[in-house]
Each structure stands twice: as structure tokens, then as C-alpha cells.
Amino acid sequence: KVYQYMAMRHWNIGIIRLFNDTLFEQVLSQTPNGLRFHLIDLCLEELVVVNANAPMPLTEATFLDCLEPYFAMAQTVPETVVHNRVMEKIFQSFLTDYSIISDAALKADEDENMHTFEEVHVGSVAQFIFELASDSETFDKYRKTLYNMHKNYMKLLKKVGKDVEMKAAEDTKEESGAGAL
């Protein structure tokens, strides 16, 4: 229901941050792992369903904002088992199940009920993963899995040969007159 509310409010960053802060402080940073695993397992699945009916679909920026608490867990969670669950259910699942370059999305004509993040640029998510791996706050023990995930994204992007088209920042500047001297 929270993701539905966020979608109705056009993914307002203030609402996203309030929810993320509460979610992280009250649930994701707490043990035991049962509830944490449950949220990790359902998060992406719920988000893609809400996104399919949202008045404004998620782009890579809002997608990354919505999943920020899980990215923090991938960097610094003390329990390796939780890190591995985030890597599988968030990072890998986005790439192989819900991105526009997933096998399911490439065969989407066959299944009209298939949900994907059609406006989320996979290359940008890959770059973000690389930046997470390189971040000084990332635990050393997690760098290799993050770098490997980045490689998986880049390999699939190269193999498929397509991604969400992004309007270049230069085009936006030219349209607004910002590029003129």
C-alpha cells in the first residue's frame, strides 16, 4: 500500500525518504532476520506491480530512491546472509526478472501480464552498483559481489544490445536555452 501511495503522489522524494528512513530504522536494521527477509523477498515484486499501474512510471532515479535502504544493506549489513539475500532478490532479480533486458521482457509479446520497469535505464543501475562497490563506506567483504553484479549487468546489456532510451542532458539544456552563452 505504501508504494501505491507513493505512485499516487508521483514518487515525491520527500515521501520516499520518510518511508525509507522508517523502514530502515524500524525493520531492516533490526534482527532477527525473518521480517527483513520477508521485505527483501517482496519489495521488488510489489514495486513492479504498483509501477505497472502508476500514473507516472518509475525512472532509474526514482527506482534507485525507492530501493535505497536495500542498497545500504548491500554495502554495510553485518550479516553476510542478509547481504546475499539483497544481492539475489533485489539486484539479480531486477536484472533477470524485471528489467527491459530480462528474458521475460524480451518475450513480453507472449505474456501481456508481464511486469517490467520499462522506464528504468539498466545501464544507470549498473553504474550505480559500480559506485556502491567503490564507495569508501562499503564493507570490503562485499566489494567483490557488487563488482561481479556490475559485470553481470554489463554483460547482459552487451548481449541484448538495448536499454531504455535516455534523453541526453545536452538536449534538455538546448531546449531550455541553458546551453547558450
Side-chain angles (χ1 to χ4, degrees), residues 87 129 143-153:
M87 295 302 295
I129 294 168
R143 290 186 195 283
K144 184 176 181 178
T145 56
L146 286 163
Y147 282 128
N148 285 339
M149 186 61 66
H150 172 261
K151 287 179 190 176
N152 292 343
Y153 273 63

Side-chain angles (χ1 to χ4, degrees), residues 101-121:
I101 62 171
S102 67
D103 284 342
L106 296 173
K107 298 174 186 172
D109 293 337
E110 300 168 16
D111 183 5
E112 304 251 337
N113 294 323
M114 175 61 206
H115 296 298
T116 59
F117 291 102
E118 301 212 4
E119 300 294 321
V120 176
H121 187 259

Side-chain angles (χ1 to χ4, degrees), residues 68-81:
E68 187 275 331
Y70 301 97
F71 299 142
M73 292 176 79
Q75 286 182 280
T76 60
V77 71
E79 303 88 356
T80 302
V81 68

Side-chain angles (χ1 to χ4, degrees), residues 4-123:
Q4 287 175 341
Y5 179 74
M6 287 181 194
M8 272 183 9
R9 298 295 306 261
H10 298 279
W11 306 105
N12 178 284
I13 190 66
I15 294 169
I16 292 171
R17 287 187 178 150
L18 283 172
F19 173 70
N20 285 348
D21 288 348
T22 302
L23 181 67
F24 190 79
E25 290 171 14
Q26 299 299 315
V27 180
L28 296 177
S29 64
Q30 306 296 317
T31 55
N33 291 330
L35 188 53
R36 289 163 56 168
F37 283 173
H38 181 69
L39 288 174
I40 292 166
D41 293 349
L42 293 178
C43 171
L44 204 57
E45 194 174 303
E46 294 293 324
L47 190 58
V48 75
V49 170
V50 168
N51 186 59
N53 300 310
M56 185 174 92
L58 285 168
T59 63
E60 57 281 346
T62 48
F63 173 79
L64 294 173
D65 287 337
C66 287
L67 296 176
E68 187 275 331
Y70 301 97
F71 299 142
M73 292 176 79
Q75 286 182 280
T76 60
V77 71
E79 303 88 356
T80 302
V81 68
V82 177
H83 167 82
N84 292 341
R85 188 72 155 249
V86 170
M87 295 302 295
E88 175 191 352
K89 297 294 186 172
I90 305 292
F91 291 88
Q92 188 65 38
S93 188
F94 167 71
L95 181 64
T96 59
D97 300 328
Y98 301 116
S99 74
I100 64 153
I101 62 171
S102 67
D103 284 342
L106 296 173
K107 298 174 186 172
D109 293 337
E110 300 168 16
D111 183 5
E112 304 251 337
N113 294 323
M114 175 61 206
H115 296 298
T116 59
F117 291 102
E118 301 212 4
E119 300 294 321
V120 176
H121 187 259
V122 180

